[in-house]
Amino acid sequence: MSEINNGQSETRVIEAGPPLWLLAEITYACPLHCAYCSNPLNLTDKKDEIGTEEWLRVLSEARDMGAVQLGFSGGEPLLRKDLEQMVAHASELGFYTNLITSGIGMTEKRIAALKDAGLDHIQLSFQAANAEANDLIGNRRHSFAQKLEVAKLIKQYEYPMVLNFCLTAQNIDQIDDVLALATELDADFVELATVQYYGWAYVNRDQLLPSKATLEAAEAKVNAFRDKQNGKGPKFIFVSPDYYEDRPKACMNGWGSTFLTVTPDGSALPCHSAKILPMTFPNVKDKSLQDIWYQDFSFNKFRGYDWMPSPCRDCDEKEKDFGGCRCQAYMLTGDMYQADPVCSKSPHHHTIEAAIESAAKQHDKSVILRDPKNKIDIVTV
Ligand code: FES
């Protein structure tokens, strides 16, 4: 429990349990330059990344607080040479560890070393189910072939394997191929996740957002495929974009309730997009995770329900969705306190309708690829 002075006369008392999930974004460096990258537009420079000792301390502190799940992510976490050291430390602490990777840079030597270090689980991303589309969307030649090799290695080394396919207007009509490929690779779980519009994906929203009809058709195919599986083969999870919902997602399961992200430069955030918000976030270089999670103004800011304006404040669903996503509210309304415009009760819901309309009018689906220096490079996928 901690107290927060809201700048007015009263002091609010806020209840918070421990963070259960730590997302360690250990580098923003990435061999891919996906058009739907959800990382911030301004990426931390490699020279500002925190070092091994600091990461090991962060992992220990998070585990002491009660965190149980740990995701190593990025960018591409394989680009950190100390990944194995971090995994070994996390494993000794008793974390369930997950590597979230594009697979680029994985070798048999490394996957074996990660196994020895105690890595529990690997999530491998694909940009599409064929080489041409995959390599174009990720902007890297031969990356599809490398991913196929990595998928085989993951199975060979007996890791549970989750495949992640990001669905966009460019690849959603290839869903049959995605289902076949995931089955052939013998994935345990397959996330068919329609892209969410944060970071660089927001830049390409008109091009990436599939129509409702194509989404429904894709979901129907997944359901039909699942029916035929008879409980065998990969488990498919289809995630629709919230733009077609009329209630917002319970983003991060509620701000500062479950998830804690630490970015490559040591910033601690309640969600991985939060840096876009007009507020200051703490850094693990200056404070303990305990102080950050329980005491920092930024983590307390959207805990509870008192911060909510109408219509969330009076809504009987506020305990289900917590007013939706703060980052999306800010991106679409310029005000981070607003209800997430996905909600049909939001006075800004028209911004979502306008986005859907605008995407429908965008017949040229060429996307702007992400470049480390944000150079503009347009390709047709
Ligand atoms: Fe930041 Fe939803 S992504 S609160």
Side-chain angles (χ1 to χ4, degrees):
M1 187 181 293
S2 64
E3 292 187 341
I4 178 171
N5 190 296
N6 65 3
Q8 296 160 13
S9 51
E10 73 206 271
T11 296
R12 290 201 281 132
V13 176
I14 297 180
E15 301 260 8
L20 298 178
W21 238 104
L22 175 67
L23 184 66
E25 293 187 323
I26 57 179
T27 181
Y28 280 143
C30 189
L32 302 185
H33 305 118
C34 300
Y36 53 68
C37 178
S38 63
N39 279 338
L41 292 184
N42 297 319
L43 298 176
T44 307
D45 205 89
K46 189 123 183 74
K47 68 176 174 13
D48 298 322
E49 288 180 1
I50 58 173
T52 314
E53 290 309 314
E54 250 149 353
W55 273 116
L56 300 187
R57 175 178 60 81
V58 165
L59 302 186
S60 298
E61 288 179 358
R63 186 72 187 110
D64 282 347
M65 290 167 71
V68 285
Q69 297 268 359
L70 170 61
F72 288 102
S73 162
E76 175 47 66
L78 288 167
L79 291 176
R80 286 272 313 220
K81 300 281 175 271
D82 50 1
L83 175 63
E84 286 82 345
Q85 201 179 337
M86 291 189 220
V87 169
H89 185 66
S91 177
E92 267 167 39
L93 293 169
F95 270 112
Y96 187 82
T97 51
N98 186 13
L99 176 67
I100 301 160
T101 177
S102 66
I104 309 303
M106 183 64 95
T107 58
E108 181 158 9
K109 195 167 161 213
R110 277 200 99 179
I111 210 164
L114 287 164
K115 190 84 186 175
D116 286 346
L119 181 65
D120 292 303
H121 191 120
I122 301 184
Q123 178 178 318
L124 175 65
S125 65
F126 275 84
Q127 280 65 49
N130 65 67
E132 195 191 356
N134 183 89
D135 297 359
L136 270 173
I137 296 173
N139 195 21
R140 186 175 173 101
R141 288 169 68 199
H142 311 305
S143 57
F144 185 74
Q146 289 171 56
K147 285 165 188 281
L148 293 182
E149 288 308 311
V150 173
K152 281 184 207 143
L153 283 175
I154 295 172
K155 294 305 289 185
Q156 186 186 326
Y157 281 81
E158 299 182 345
Y159 288 96
M161 178 165 77
V162 175
L163 300 183
N164 175 281
F165 287 85
C166 275
L167 301 179
T168 66
Q170 285 74 15
N171 64 11
I172 195 155
D173 56 357
Q174 298 159 13
I175 196 82
D176 290 325
D177 299 339
V178 170
L179 299 170
L181 177 64
T183 306
E184 188 189 320
L185 294 175
D186 197 18
D188 295 289
F189 287 91
V190 185
E191 244 181 46
L192 304 166
T194 320
V195 163
Q196 306 269 342
Y197 304 98
Y198 297 91
W200 200 257
Y202 192 65
V203 173
N204 281 310
R205 187 177 60 176
D206 276 355
Q207 290 84 0
L208 295 172
L209 181 66
S211 70
K212 193 165 189 197
T214 48
L215 255 161
E216 285 173 351
E219 191 167 13
K221 283 185 178 176
V222 176
N223 291 340
F225 191 87
R226 229 188 251 125
D227 288 345
K228 277 196 258 153
Q229 281 183 301
N230 275 328
K232 296 196 199 92
K235 299 204 172 20
F236 292 97
I237 302 150
F238 191 90
V239 187
S240 299
D242 55 358
Y243 275 44
Y244 291 113
E245 305 291 336
D246 59 6
R247 288 290 177 272
K249 59 184 180 282
C251 199
M252 299 292 122
N253 197 35
W255 181 272
S257 81
T258 312
F259 293 94
L260 171 60
T261 296
V262 178
T263 69
D265 70 352
S267 299
L269 309 174
C271 77
H272 86 297
S273 297
K275 274 256 183 107
I276 64 165
L277 300 175
M279 54 198 283
T280 307
F281 288 95
N283 194 296
V284 299
K285 287 188 280 193
D286 311 318
K287 284 179 172 185
S288 72
L289 270 197
Q290 173 95 13
D291 267 7
I292 288 171
W293 181 259
Y294 290 108
Q295 307 295 339
D296 197 86
F297 178 79
S298 60
F299 275 75
N300 281 322
K301 196 168 180 67
F302 297 114
R303 280 182 174 141
Y305 306 100
D306 291 352
W307 60 269
M308 291 178 171
S310 173
C312 297
R313 181 183 279 269
D314 313 307
C315 180
D316 58 6
E317 293 175 73
K318 68 181 175 211
E319 290 172 33
K320 232 196 290 173
D321 59 40
F322 314 104
C325 175
R326 295 304 86 224
C327 299
Q328 190 148 273
Y330 181 68
M331 279 189 297
L332 297 179
T333 74
D335 177 357
M336 60 183 171
Y337 290 89
Q338 285 292 325
D340 186 332
V342 160
C343 185
S344 60
K345 296 185 191 178
S346 157
H348 298 276
H349 187 60
H350 60 90
T351 58
I352 296 282
E353 291 165 341
I356 292 171
E357 214 174 293
S358 171
K361 284 193 200 134
Q362 178 79 36
H363 298 299
D364 177 3
K365 295 295 179 189
S366 304
V367 289
I368 304 169
L369 292 173
R370 175 144 221 169
D371 177 276
K373 296 188 185 73
N374 291 345
K375 200 181 84 202
I376 303 295
D377 189 6
I378 302 181
V379 298
T380 305
V381 178

